[in-house]
Amino acid sequence: MLLLCIYTAEAFANVDRPPIDTLVTDANFAPAKMDLRPYIAVSADEKSTLWPPENFQHQNHIFHPGIKNNGQVNDCWLKLVVKNTSSKALSYRFFTGWHDCMYWYRQPAGQPMQQLMATGLMIDDGGVERWHHYAFHLQVAPNETCTFYLHIINKSYNENPMMPVLFSEEAYNIFHDEQLDSFRKEAVIIQVLLGMLLVFFSISIINYVQLPDRSYLYFAAYILGLILFFALRLDSKPFQLSFFHEWPMLKYYWDIPGLLFCFYLMYLLFGNAFLNLKDRYLFMEKGFTWMAAVVGGLIILCMLCIAFDKYHLPTIIYSYVYFLTLAPLLAVFIALARRSRHHPLVRFFLYGSACLYLACLGSFLLQVKPLGLLGALGELAAPTTLLMGGVLLQAMFFLAGLSYRNKLVHLERTRTQELLIKQLNKNKELQRKLNEQLEELVREQTTEILRKKQELEEQRKIQLETEYDKKLTEIELKAIRAQINPHFIFNCLNSIQLFVMQRDYELAQKYLSDFSYLIRKTLDFSRRNFISLSEEITYLNTYLGLEKMRFENRMEYEIVVDPEIIAAELEIPAMLLQPYVENAVKHGMTNPKQPTGLLRIYFNQVAPDMLECVIADNGIGIARSKSLRTLPKHHQSSGMEISQNRAELLNKMYRTDIHIEIIDKSVEDEANSGTIVKIFIPQL
């Protein structure tokens, strides 16, 4: 054992010895741990298209025992040539550190190169056992020379330690245990932190169920983002059980974006809702909202950079955001601190924010000395113990602030309930007084209602009498119209009888056809109170045509309508004009001085709401007709009398003013004979 320790110490002390192209082993070769830097040739030519490249050189500057900032992707090949001169097979483990992508190749002398293993933090999803994949088996048969290649690609901003070491199986097991003990403490701290964050998350959800408020949702989202962030940190701690080992790239996607989401986006949204900035500090609320929108865009930008293998850009973005927001946040803290006396919730927000940002700043300053400024910037996202303590304190202050806010809400509710009870007591007293006033008012209103009821009863009686009179008038009108129909049919049948007696069957047939049309229209009009003027004109044309045939063309008629009248839209009472036209035909066509009887009917619009109907004939006149009448004394021509009665009933029923004037032209001028009937029909 003493000799082994001396040999190992000599091997590590001989780091600066000249480089050797081939590692030659013999029967006495038995180191437990050996530095391979003198035997490793390196090729870092990114322009080379050969696989593997040919320009290998000894470059010891590429190796480093700690985290190193590259500023770009490090794509390099390591070449190790081993010659085994002993009679036993050589079996060791080759270890260079934990890197993003690693590909292990073996090429025996005179044979093609073959890939033995592919592993790395970005591609290995082998669970806990994946940490054993980073120590590659180096096996060389007796009296054989073999070349080994290791292709390393580090895409992230900072590169983990890269030191090529050759371990024996026993020494590697010891190294494994040392690494396990080294990372176990930090992993235990992370697991404890995850447990506490889960408790905070559960409390926030329970409080939200009891008191729905957006600040609880933002706090729960903030805690959930932290849980995911720290749970993914276990995936980068060797020999630890990770919850997300099946997705090795997830820890990169939620590295910088997770910090921006938790420490900026959710922080700003939580502060906005928790402090109720919209009602208290409107300008600050707009600043928080605008900044949250910018951070949301940066989160998407960082994820896109990672998707396109630009892993150093998210770290640079986070570094700029971190330093550029220090001064504005400090100004916000000072502005809030001045108003903390009037707003006690500000204190909880300020204390929690100060704990986190002081922890971040302290963690950054502690890493500047060993890593340098650029390296420390790359490790801003590293969850150091100081940073985890700051996160825990911030979450505790925020949760305490939410609890205090619940207390304030409860006190406000209690105060409100007390005020409501006092107000209810006042309302009861006021209600008693109002009841007394209402009782008095009810008595007065009851008297008034009884009086109104009596008046309504009287009005109801008057209304019933009016309706009764209206219905009676309608019944009388129907009875009068029923008198018109038989009178008209009797006159028409006399005409048909005359044609039959004269044996003019063809004319009688035509007369019967037109007469049937008139009968249908007469029956139709008898059921209607009003018809259009166009229907009345058609009806009169048909009737006068029949009368003209009966008088054997010794009669002429003319119907003239004012051009301004729209006959299809204007309405007049049904069967009102027919009796006057019938009298003009029957008694006005017997003038011996006139060989041809002439009947003219005019429709004039004498006013916007008044229609004038003029029926003029050149007969013997009213006086002459009465003196020559040869009918029995008991006979009475009731057509015009019925029409006059209808006009009076219509005036009474519809409160209108249908006016009828009958003029005997012979009274004014004996040389001129005939009758003029003027009927004025107002438009309803």
Side-chain angles (χ1 to χ4, degrees):
M1 291 298 295
L2 180 62
L3 291 175
L4 181 61
C5 292
I6 293 173
Y7 182 84
T8 303
E10 181 182 0
F12 275 91
N14 210 3
V15 172
D16 296 330
R17 63 187 179 182
I20 303 173
D21 293 334
T22 304
L23 175 62
V24 181
T25 63
D26 53 18
N28 297 324
F29 184 83
K33 181 179 181 182
M34 180 178 180
D35 187 359
L36 293 180
R37 281 180 292 176
Y39 303 96
I40 296 294
V42 180
S43 175
D45 187 5
E46 298 180 357
K47 299 181 180 180
S48 177
T49 59
L50 299 176
W51 186 81
E54 294 181 349
N55 53 343
F56 282 93
Q57 298 177 359
H58 290 277
Q59 303 177 23
N60 286 334
H61 67 275
I62 201 171
F63 303 114
H64 48 89
I67 297 176
K68 179 183 178 182
N69 175 260
N70 292 324
Q72 60 182 1
V73 176
N74 185 16
D75 188 346
C76 64
W77 287 76
L78 305 184
K79 178 181 178 182
L80 174 64
V81 181
V82 180
K83 182 178 181 181
N84 185 9
T85 60
S86 66
S87 58
K88 295 182 179 180
L90 184 67
S91 178
Y92 275 79
R93 286 183 178 268
F94 179 74
F95 180 77
T96 57
W98 296 279
H99 303 288
D100 296 339
C101 301
M102 304 174 69
Y103 305 94
W104 177 245
Y105 301 93
R106 180 176 182 270
Q107 185 178 17
Q111 298 183 18
M113 184 176 65
Q114 56 181 348
Q115 181 176 336
L116 301 180
M117 184 180 296
T119 187
L121 294 173
M122 290 187 178
I123 61 176
D124 199 335
D125 58 352
V128 178
E129 297 297 329
R130 71 191 187 282
W131 298 112
H132 298 287
H133 300 166
Y134 293 86
F136 305 104
H137 283 285
L138 193 150
Q139 296 177 342
V140 183
N143 300 317
E144 182 184 20
T145 300
C146 191
T147 303
F148 296 92
Y149 296 94
L150 180 60
H151 186 194
I152 299 176
I153 303 175
N154 280 316
K155 301 179 181 180
S156 54
Y157 193 85
N158 284 349
E159 187 176 67
N160 286 327
M162 182 185 293
M163 293 295 293
V165 180
L166 191 67
F167 284 104
S168 65
E169 292 292 340
E170 295 81 2
Y172 179 73
N173 291 332
I174 295 173
F175 173 76
H176 169 274
D177 295 337
E178 290 175 352
Q179 293 295 316
L180 180 62
D181 292 337
S182 174
F183 289 101
R184 180 178 292 169
K185 297 177 182 179
E186 187 174 354
V188 169
I189 294 175
I190 292 177
Q191 291 172 356
V192 172
L193 177 63
L194 289 175
M196 298 185 70
L197 292 177
L198 282 173
V199 173
F200 294 163
F201 177 76
S202 302
I203 293 174
S204 63
I205 294 298
I206 293 173
N207 288 337
Y208 177 76
V209 174
Q210 295 178 351
L211 180 63
D213 193 335
R214 285 188 302 169
S215 56
Y216 285 110
L217 287 181
Y218 293 142
F219 181 74
Y222 166 70
I223 295 298
L224 192 60
L226 288 176
I227 291 173
L228 180 60
F229 175 79
F230 285 108
L232 287 170
R233 293 306 93 197
L234 293 175
D235 196 53
S236 60
K237 305 301 177 185
F239 312 109
Q240 303 300 320
L241 177 61
S242 171
F243 304 104
F244 305 98
H245 60 83
E246 294 183 358
W247 305 281
M249 287 299 298
L250 186 58
K251 58 180 173 292
Y252 296 94
Y253 279 97
W254 198 247
D255 191 0
I256 300 301
L259 292 177
L260 291 174
F261 176 82
C262 297
F263 297 151
Y264 289 94
L265 180 60
M266 286 298 107
Y267 172 78
L268 293 171
L269 294 177
F270 170 77
N272 195 353
F274 178 70
L275 300 177
N276 199 12
L277 297 180
K278 187 175 182 180
D279 297 335
R280 298 177 182 272
Y281 320 112
L282 185 59
F283 178 77
M284 193 179 297
E285 186 270 338
K286 292 182 178 179
F288 273 44
T289 304
W290 179 83
M291 189 61 187
V294 173
V295 172
L298 292 177
I299 292 173
I300 297 175
L301 179 61
C302 290
M303 290 186 174
L304 291 176
C305 292
I306 295 171
F308 289 100
D309 291 341
K310 304 295 182 181
Y311 293 88
H312 62 289
L313 292 180
T315 306
I316 295 175
I317 292 173
Y318 181 75
S319 302
Y320 277 109
V321 171
Y322 179 78
F323 287 107
L324 291 177
T325 55
L326 284 178
L329 287 176
L330 181 61
V332 170
F333 293 161
I334 294 174
L336 290 176
R338 291 181 176 179
R339 305 180 183 182
S340 60
R341 295 181 180 178
H342 307 287
H343 195 354
L345 295 178
V346 173
R347 300 177 185 176
F348 294 96
F349 184 75
L350 290 178
Y351 292 156
S353 302
C355 290
L356 176 63
Y357 283 94
L358 289 176
C360 290
L361 184 61
S363 178
F364 170 73
L365 294 177
L366 291 176
Q367 293 175 0
V368 170
K369 184 175 181 180
L371 301 179
L373 181 60
L374 292 178
L377 287 175
E379 289 298 309
L380 277 174
T384 61
T385 304
L386 183 60
L387 178 62
M388 288 187 285
V391 168
L392 187 61
L393 287 175
Q394 185 196 46
M396 292 176 66
F397 275 113
F398 284 176
L399 189 61
L402 289 173
S403 300
Y404 184 74
R405 185 177 183 177
N406 279 352
K407 179 181 177 181
L408 293 179
V409 172
H410 178 71
L411 292 176
E412 184 66 23
R413 287 181 176 177
T414 303
R415 189 179 300 108
T416 303
Q417 289 177 356
E418 293 176 353
L419 292 176
L420 286 176
I421 292 173
K422 293 180 180 179
Q423 188 64 34
L424 285 174
N425 293 332
K426 293 181 180 179
N427 290 343
K428 289 181 179 180
E429 180 64 23
L430 181 61
Q431 184 179 5
R432 185 184 64 80
K433 295 180 180 179
L434 288 176
N435 287 336
E436 294 177 355
Q437 296 177 1
L438 285 174
E439 289 177 359
E440 181 65 24
L441 183 61
V442 166
R443 286 193 293 269
E444 296 177 358
Q445 291 294 330
T446 302
T447 305
E448 182 67 19
I449 288 172
L450 292 175
R451 186 181 64 81
K452 292 289 185 181
K453 183 178 179 182
Q454 186 176 0
E455 292 179 357
L456 288 174
E457 286 293 334
E458 294 177 357
Q459 293 179 1
R460 182 170 173 274
K461 290 179 181 179
I462 296 172
Q463 184 177 1
L464 288 175
E465 292 177 358
T466 304
E467 292 179 357
Y468 174 77
D469 292 340
K470 184 177 180 181
K471 290 181 180 180
L472 183 60
T473 302
E474 290 179 353
I475 293 172
E476 292 176 354
L477 183 59
K478 291 180 180 179
I480 292 173
R481 280 153 56 184
Q483 293 174 8
I484 292 175
N485 294 337
H487 178 76
F488 174 72
I489 293 171
F490 174 77
N491 291 333
C492 289
L493 288 177
N494 284 338
S495 299
I496 296 172
Q497 183 181 8
L498 178 63
F499 282 113
V500 173
M501 291 174 65
Q502 293 176 354
R503 299 183 179 274
D504 191 349
Y505 301 116
E506 182 178 354
L507 194 59
Q509 184 178 1
K510 184 177 184 307
Y511 198 95
L512 278 172
S513 177
D514 291 343
F515 176 68
S516 64
Y517 170 79
L518 281 179
I519 291 297
R520 288 195 303 272
K521 284 298 180 181
T522 303
L523 293 175
D524 179 30
F525 293 167
S526 66
R527 291 192 296 269
R528 295 159 58 183
N529 290 331
F530 293 91
I531 61 174
S532 66
L533 181 59
S534 61
E535 291 178 323
E536 181 69 18
I537 293 172
T538 303
Y539 180 85
L540 293 177
N541 266 320
T542 305
Y543 168 74
L544 292 173
L546 291 175
E547 292 288 9
K548 183 178 180 180
M549 287 191 302
R550 186 168 69 87
F551 283 99
E552 298 179 352
N553 296 326
R554 287 185 292 104
M555 169 190 145
E556 295 293 337
Y557 69 92
E558 181 183 11
I559 300 177
V560 181
V561 182
D562 190 348
E564 296 182 358
I565 296 176
I566 303 176
E569 297 181 359
L570 200 62
E571 290 189 344
I572 64 174
M575 300 295 292
L576 181 64
L577 305 180
Q578 193 271 343
Y580 296 101
V581 175
E582 180 181 353
N583 282 331
V585 172
K586 191 173 185 63
H587 304 292
M589 299 294 119
T590 58
N591 189 355
K593 296 180 181 181
Q594 299 290 343
T596 302
L598 181 61
L599 175 64
R600 290 186 178 90
I601 302 175
Y602 300 95
F603 293 96
N604 302 317
Q605 190 78 39
V606 295
D609 59 345
M610 180 65 70
L611 176 67
E612 180 190 35
C613 303
V614 180
I615 303 170
D617 63 75
N618 60 350
I620 59 176
I622 298 175
R624 181 68 175 164
S625 176
K626 290 181 179 180
S627 64
L628 296 177
R629 182 174 299 173
T630 59
L631 295 175
K633 295 182 179 180
H634 64 273
H635 177 78
Q636 181 179 358
S637 180
S638 60
M640 295 178 62
E641 182 181 356
I642 291 173
S643 295
Q644 184 67 35
N645 292 337
R646 283 194 63 208
E648 293 176 359
L649 288 174
L650 287 171
N651 290 336
K652 181 179 179 182
M653 187 175 184
Y654 295 99
R655 295 182 181 179
T656 184
D657 186 16
I658 299 176
H659 179 60
I660 301 173
E661 294 181 3
I662 301 175
I663 302 172
D664 191 348
K665 292 189 290 183
S666 61
V667 175
E668 298 177 358
D669 186 5
E670 295 182 356
N672 189 12
S673 63
T675 305
I676 298 176
V677 179
K678 294 183 179 180
I679 304 173
F680 297 91
I681 305 175
Q683 298 301 301
L684 298 178

